[in-house]
C-alpha cells in the first residue's frame, strides 16, 4: 500500500467521481465539480493505492499558506469531506474486517497530511463509520449535528411528519396566495441574502456572497442543484433558497426570507416546496445542520432525525491560525 498526495491538475475527475460514488459518504460535497467550484480548482487529494494500482481510500484536501505555515482546511460552503472508503463486495465478510481495514487506511492516509499542516480543520462525512480512527491520529473530534429526512414520492406521508404549526403556516400562506417557483439563476438568493445583510443580520460573511452565488449557478447549470423562490400575492420576492443534490441527498445549502416577510413564516412554504422537488431527485433531504438553536428548532419542525458529523481538528503552531468562521 502506498499513499500519494495528488494535485487537482494531475487528478482524473472521472476516476475520482466514480470512486467516491461507491462510498457511504457520497454527498454532493465530495463530487469533483463541487470541490472545483468552492476551491477554484486549487485542491488536492490524499489517496491510498494498493499494489495493483487500485484506489482503496481517499480524502479531498484544500491547503493554503499563511505566515509561512500550511493550513489544510475545509473551504467555505462545503462540508462532509473526511476519509472516504468504498463498500467493497467483500464487506459481507463481517463488520470487524471492514472496520479493521478502514482503521488501517486512516492510519496510512492521515499522517502525511497531518505532518505537513500547522492547521488541519475539516468536517467529516455524515455518520462516519469509524470515527475513532481520527482520534487515534491525535485529531480532536467536535460533534456537530445535521438533520436528515428520508424522502418519499407520496408527499402526504412526508407532510404528516411536520409539526402542527408548520402545516398550519403552509396552509395559510397558500390560502393567501403565496406560491413557490423555480428560478434559473442565484440572483434572488443573493437579493434575499443582501436584504438581510443590510438589516444587520450577517448570515454569511459579505465576501462569501459571490462564492455562494457561483456555487448555486454552477450547480443549476450542471443539473446538480435547484433554486426555489417564494413569492407574495403581489409578485414580490418573499424568500429564496439554493439546494444541491445527487441521487443520495438533497442538501439545503442556503435559504433566506426577506425581512418584511420573516414574521409570516414564508420559509415554511419554501422548505415544503423544496422537499417536494427533492423527492423527485434524491432519497434523503439534508438540512445541512446548524448550531444555532432557533434554526435547529426550525429544521426539526419538519420531522427529520439528528445525525452526527464531526469537526476534525488538529492544531500545531500558532493557535491564532485556526479558522473559526464555520
Amino acid at each position: 500500500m502506498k499513499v500519494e498526495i495528488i494535485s487537482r491538475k494531475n487528478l482524473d475527475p472521472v476516476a475520482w467521481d466514480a470512486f467516491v460514488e461507491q462510498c457511504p459518504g457520497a454527498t454532493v460535497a465530495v463530487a469533483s465539480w463541487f470541490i472545483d467550484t468552492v476551491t477554484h480548482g486549487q485542491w488536492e487529494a490524499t489517496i491510498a493505492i494498493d499494489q495493483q494500482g487500485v484506489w482503496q481510500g481517499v480524502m479531498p484536501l484544500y491547503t493554503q499558506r499563511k505566515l509561512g505555515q500550511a493550513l489544510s482546511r475545509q473551504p467555505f460552503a462545503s462540508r462532509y469531506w473526511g476519509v472516504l472508503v468504498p463498500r467493497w463486495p467483500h464487506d459481507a465478510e463481517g463488520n470487524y474486517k471492514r472496520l479493521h481495514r478502514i482503521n488501517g487506511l486512516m492510519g496510512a492516509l492521515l499522517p502525511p497530511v497531518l505532518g505537513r499542516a500547522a492547521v488541519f480543520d475539516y468536517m467529516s462525512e455524515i455518520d462516519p463509520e469509524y470515527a475513532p480512527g481520527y482520534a487515534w491520529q491525535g485529531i480532536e473530534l467536535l460533534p456537530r449535528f445535521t438533520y436528515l429526512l428520508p424522502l418519499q414520492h407520496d408527499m402526504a406521508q412526508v407532510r404528516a411528519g411536520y409539526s402542527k404549526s408548520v402545516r398550519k403556516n403552509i396552509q395559510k400562506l397558500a390560502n393567501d396566495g403565496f406560491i413557490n417557483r423555480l428560478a434559473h439563476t442565484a440572483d434572488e438568493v443573493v437579493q434575499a441574502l443582501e436584504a438581510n445583510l443590510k438589516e444587520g443580520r450577517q448570515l454569511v460573511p459579505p465576501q462569501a456572497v459571490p462564492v455562494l452565488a457561483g456555487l448555486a449557478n454552477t450547480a443549476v447549470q450542471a443539473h446538480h442543484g435547484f433554486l426555489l423562490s417564494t413569492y407574495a400575492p403581489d409578485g414580490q420576492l418573499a424568500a429564496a433558497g439554493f439546494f444541491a443534490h445527487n441521487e443520495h441527498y438533497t442538501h439545503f445549502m442556503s435559504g433566506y426570507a426577506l425581512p418584511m416577510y420573516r414574521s409570516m413564516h414564508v420559509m415554511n412554504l419554501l422548505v415544503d416546496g423544496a422537499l417536494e422537488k427533492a423527492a423527485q431527485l434524491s432519497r434523503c433531504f439534508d438540512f445541512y445542520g446548524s448550531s444555532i438553536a432557533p434554526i435547529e428548532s426550525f429544521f426539526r419542525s419538519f420531522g427529520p432525525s439528528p445525525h452526527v458529523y464531526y469537526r476534525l481538528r488538529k492544531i500545531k503552531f500558532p493557535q491564532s491560525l485556526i479558522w473559526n468562521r464555520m
Side-chain angles (χ1 to χ4, degrees), residues 122-187:
Y122 287 92
M123 299 294 183
S124 80
E125 65 274 40
I126 300 171
D127 293 327
E129 291 185 271
Y130 192 61
Y134 294 110
W136 307 151
Q137 302 304 318
I139 296 170
E140 182 182 17
L141 284 83
L142 304 172
R144 301 289 182 92
F145 295 92
T146 189
Y147 283 77
L148 302 182
L149 182 64
L151 294 171
Q152 305 172 59
H153 292 298
D154 182 0
M155 279 301 295
Q157 289 183 282
V158 175
R159 289 177 175 126
Y162 297 176
S163 71
K164 183 177 179 180
S165 62
V166 165
R167 292 196 299 269
K168 182 179 177 181
N169 290 334
I170 291 170
Q171 188 62 57
K172 184 179 187 307
L173 288 162
N175 290 343
D176 289 345
F178 283 79
I179 60 170
N180 290 324
R181 286 204 302 263
L182 292 172
H184 301 293
T185 72
D187 292 351

Side-chain angles (χ1 to χ4, degrees), residues 205-224:
Q207 66 271 23
V209 176
V211 178
L212 188 59
L215 181 60
N217 287 328
T218 299
V220 170
Q221 291 164 11
H223 304 291
H224 292 304

Side-chain angles (χ1 to χ4, degrees), residues 256-274:
Y256 317 99
L258 274 77
M260 66 182 295
Y261 294 104
R262 193 180 306 126
S263 64
M264 300 176 70
H265 307 291
V266 291
M267 289 298 293
N268 288 171
L269 185 62
L270 179 79
V271 173
D272 178 68

Side-chain angles (χ1 to χ4, degrees), residues 56 82 101 189 191 197 253-254 275 290 295 301:
Q56 300 295 313
R101 178 160 58 89
V189 170
Q191 180 184 338
L197 290 171
M253 301 296 298
S254 61
L275 288 168
S290 178
I295 298 177
S301 68

Side-chain angles (χ1 to χ4, degrees), residues 84-146:
L84 300 168
V85 177
R87 288 194 178 280
W88 300 115
H90 60 260
D91 286 345
E93 294 174 355
N95 198 48
Y96 168 74
K97 287 187 177 181
R98 174 164 178 79
L99 294 185
H100 182 72
R101 178 160 58 89
I102 293 173
N103 184 48
L105 287 166
M106 295 174 83
L109 285 164
L110 291 168
V113 181
L114 297 170
R116 67 176 189 167
V119 172
F120 177 91
D121 195 2
Y122 287 92
M123 299 294 183
S124 80
E125 65 274 40
I126 300 171
D127 293 327
E129 291 185 271
Y130 192 61
Y134 294 110
W136 307 151
Q137 302 304 318
I139 296 170
E140 182 182 17
L141 284 83
L142 304 172
R144 301 289 182 92
F145 295 92
T146 189

Side-chain angles (χ1 to χ4, degrees), residues 17-29:
D17 289 336
F19 183 86
V20 299
E21 178 60 28
Q22 304 172 66
C23 302
T27 65
V28 172

Side-chain angles (χ1 to χ4, degrees), residues 21-44:
E21 178 60 28
Q22 304 172 66
C23 302
T27 65
V28 172
V30 294
S32 62
W33 72 267
F34 189 104
I35 307 176
D36 280 344
T37 304
V38 297
T39 67
H40 303 288
Q42 302 301 307
W43 60 285
E44 54 192 359

